[in-house]
Amino acid sequence: GGAAKLSDIAKVPLLIKESPVRVREIWLERFQDNPLAVAGALTDQDFRSLKANAEACPMFVVPLPRGEGYANLVWQAQGNRVLFKTLEGFQQNSPVIDLGVNFFTELLMSHQLVLLRGEIKSNLLSKDEAAKMVRFMREAYC
């Protein structure tokens, strides 16, 4: 889901001039008020750990608390992205993705930083729920 290259959504030459701390601040501010996006930044070490663990275990079923029950989501790690969809959608091979998370590695060598952007693609998840899914994914893989 979403942009494949950082240059599709950010002015990379301007980011390169900034410190890693400032790049992270700019990135988080950029998506703070966007109701359909969540953002984050990972250190070089966290990203390498996440990537290795995602390759070893590319799929998870995640229960998302909903009222009295749960919505079950499946996440699939595919290269520098992770796709989330409902368990039902996954079982039915539906093309609908509920949340697409991309990892942008363009600043990995220069800043030891990987930028993350999650894009909400359906009305299933609120921004808060999407942020919780991304946090849980990071905790599981890092």
Side-chain angles (χ1 to χ4, degrees):
K5 297 183 306 207
L6 185 57
S7 60
D8 293 342
I9 55 173
K11 293 180 173 84
V12 178
L14 296 179
L15 288 177
I16 287 174
K17 295 176 183 177
E18 300 289 346
S19 72
V21 170
R22 184 66 189 128
V23 168
R24 182 181 180 280
E25 289 171 355
I26 291 167
W27 186 252
L28 296 178
E29 286 169 10
R30 162 93 166 72
F31 297 103
Q32 181 177 338
D33 296 326
N34 183 333
L36 298 178
V38 293
L42 290 88
T43 64
D44 175 13
Q45 187 175 351
D46 281 350
F47 179 71
R48 291 186 196 288
S49 175
L50 182 143
K51 186 96 167 136
N53 290 327
E55 287 172 6
C57 299
M59 241 187 220
F60 269 82
V61 175
V62 186
L64 175 66
R66 276 281 166 90
E68 297 294 312
Y70 293 89
N72 290 308
L73 297 175
V74 174
W75 88 52
Q76 293 178 279
Q78 302 176 349
N80 284 343
R81 66 184 185 162
V82 178
L83 305 176
F84 292 76
K85 58 170 56 177
T86 63
L87 180 59
E88 297 79 21
F90 176 77
Q91 290 171 330
Q92 296 166 4
N93 207 20
S94 166
V96 176
I97 294 166
D98 297 294
L99 174 64
V101 178
N102 284 298
F103 298 97
F104 299 101
T105 59
E106 287 88 337
L107 301 175
L108 187 57
M109 298 305 286
S110 61
H111 289 66
Q112 291 73 53
L113 196 64
V114 173
L115 300 177
L116 169 159
R117 182 179 74 150
E119 203 175 334
I120 299 169
K121 303 276 199 180
S122 74
N123 60 7
L124 176 75
L125 298 171
S126 68
K127 180 171 179 142
D128 185 53
E129 289 171 329
K132 286 178 184 170
M133 292 288 100
V134 170
R135 237 184 339 272
F136 183 71
M137 175 200 60
R138 288 178 65 170
E139 289 170 6
Y141 280 154
C142 287

